[in-house]
Amino acid sequence: MKPYFPIRRRSYLPSGMALAWLLLALAGTARSQTVPHAPLQLAGYHYREIIENADSSARNLPVVIALHWMGASPTSFARYVTGFSRPVRLLLVEAPYPYKQGYTFYSLSPKNYYDLPADEKMVILLKEGERLSRFIEAATKKNAPATKPVILGASQGGDLSYVVATRYGHLISRACPLLATMDNRIVTQAGKAGPTSPPIDAFHGTADPIVPIETARRHVQTLKERGFQARLHTYEGVKHDIPDAMKADFIQLITGHLANP
């Protein structure tokens, strides 16, 4: 998977002016977000915390839990989920299994998750979803947000966002799976949506070669048939990536949700 990296023109400033701009940028960053030098640990996961638009000592901030895609890390994935205009505490979870320069949420050794039969994959999905639910419970207890956390995940992280939303929906207030897939049996076997089931907003490119758009449409239709409040946001010509337009849309959606939970 090749993440979307927008090309930016490089500009050059005289050294004195460059230093002034750097100091201003650092001052703004200090006010808007805090990134620990080392990962934190909670409920069996490493994670990184970013606080936007609030002081690092702020309490009861809204919590957004972000799950990266395969081969990424909390640090490399942060650029795709930061940029909120309201106070928020972002918890970027590190997947538990090392993979290349990053991590994966599904073990690839001694058996590769992607080579397994569908039944075995579903068992792993449910196990990892249950494991993640314990992290959400612990993070909620630790940070005491005014409303339940939002979960946001891309690709593998999006798969698990679906699992959490349908199996552990009472722990979250909204789910945003990006570029994601799931075994529809996870929904149909879980029973119908209940009063604590969160809204689910899926975001997907129409040209995704890894998870075809029709697959995403079937997921959302299955969710609706089981009584879930589900929507699919599509992006014409976008592949298995998070372009700026998609990011802007889910940031705006989550911001509005947190302002009016």
Side-chain angles (χ1 to χ4, degrees):
M1 177 184 67
K2 296 181 179 179
Y4 175 84
F5 292 98
I7 297 174
R8 302 186 185 277
R9 291 184 178 178
R10 194 179 286 179
S11 61
Y12 297 90
L13 298 171
S15 58
M17 189 179 297
L19 178 60
W21 278 107
L22 176 60
L23 292 173
L24 285 172
L26 289 174
T29 301
R31 287 194 301 271
S32 65
Q33 56 184 259
T34 301
V35 184
H37 292 294
L40 303 170
Q41 287 185 275
L42 187 67
Y45 285 96
H46 290 96
Y47 71 100
R48 288 187 180 269
E49 179 181 274
I50 297 176
I51 298 175
E52 294 197 306
N53 308 299
D55 187 82
S56 60
S57 62
R59 297 288 298 164
N60 309 118
L61 293 176
V63 169
V64 176
I65 296 171
L67 311 178
H68 62 73
W69 46 38
M70 181 179 180
S73 68
T75 301
S76 66
F77 190 60
R79 60 177 294 187
Y80 296 99
V81 294
T82 50
F84 285 87
S85 59
R86 296 176 61 88
V88 65
R89 187 186 306 275
L90 282 160
L91 306 182
L92 292 98
V93 178
E94 181 181 284
Y97 309 105
Y99 174 71
K100 294 185 176 180
Q101 302 303 310
Y103 303 89
T104 171
F105 281 99
Y106 313 139
S107 177
L108 305 179
S109 177
K111 293 183 179 180
N112 188 323
Y113 168 85
Y114 292 101
D115 294 335
L116 297 175
D119 287 350
E120 292 185 43
K121 283 184 178 179
M122 189 167 81
V123 170
I124 292 172
L125 268 174
L126 293 177
K127 181 190 75 172
E128 296 297 340
E130 195 276 334
R131 179 179 181 179
L132 190 60
S133 74
R134 295 196 295 271
F135 175 84
I136 298 171
E137 288 180 310
T140 301
K141 182 177 180 180
K142 177 181 178 180
N143 296 294
T147 188
K148 295 176 184 178
V150 172
I151 191 165
L152 165 71
S155 198
Q156 284 187 348
D159 302 353
L160 287 168
S161 297
Y162 273 132
V163 176
V164 169
T166 54
R167 294 277 175 150
Y168 306 98
H170 62 287
L171 298 178
I172 61 172
S173 61
R174 198 172 204 105
C176 293
L178 319 173
L179 339 171
T181 188
M182 66 173 176
D183 188 322
N184 281 345
R185 292 176 298 172
I186 289 173
V187 180
T188 58
Q189 293 177 9
K192 291 207 176 265
T196 60
S197 297
I200 302 172
D201 286 87
F203 294 77
H204 217 92
T206 62
D208 192 327
I210 297 176
V211 182
I213 187 62
E214 289 306 321
T215 299
R217 289 193 173 110
R218 285 196 297 273
H219 294 335
V220 171
Q221 183 58 37
T222 300
L223 288 165
K224 289 180 176 179
E225 290 171 356
R226 305 303 293 179
F228 287 89
Q229 181 185 332
R231 293 187 298 174
L232 177 62
H233 307 257
T234 60
Y235 297 83
E236 193 65 32
V238 171
K239 297 184 178 181
H240 202 66
D241 300 326
I242 301 176
D244 289 345
M246 183 188 292
K247 175 183 173 180
D249 285 349
F250 66 69
I251 291 282
Q252 182 180 26
L253 176 75
I254 295 172
T255 299
H257 167 74
L258 294 176
N260 299 284

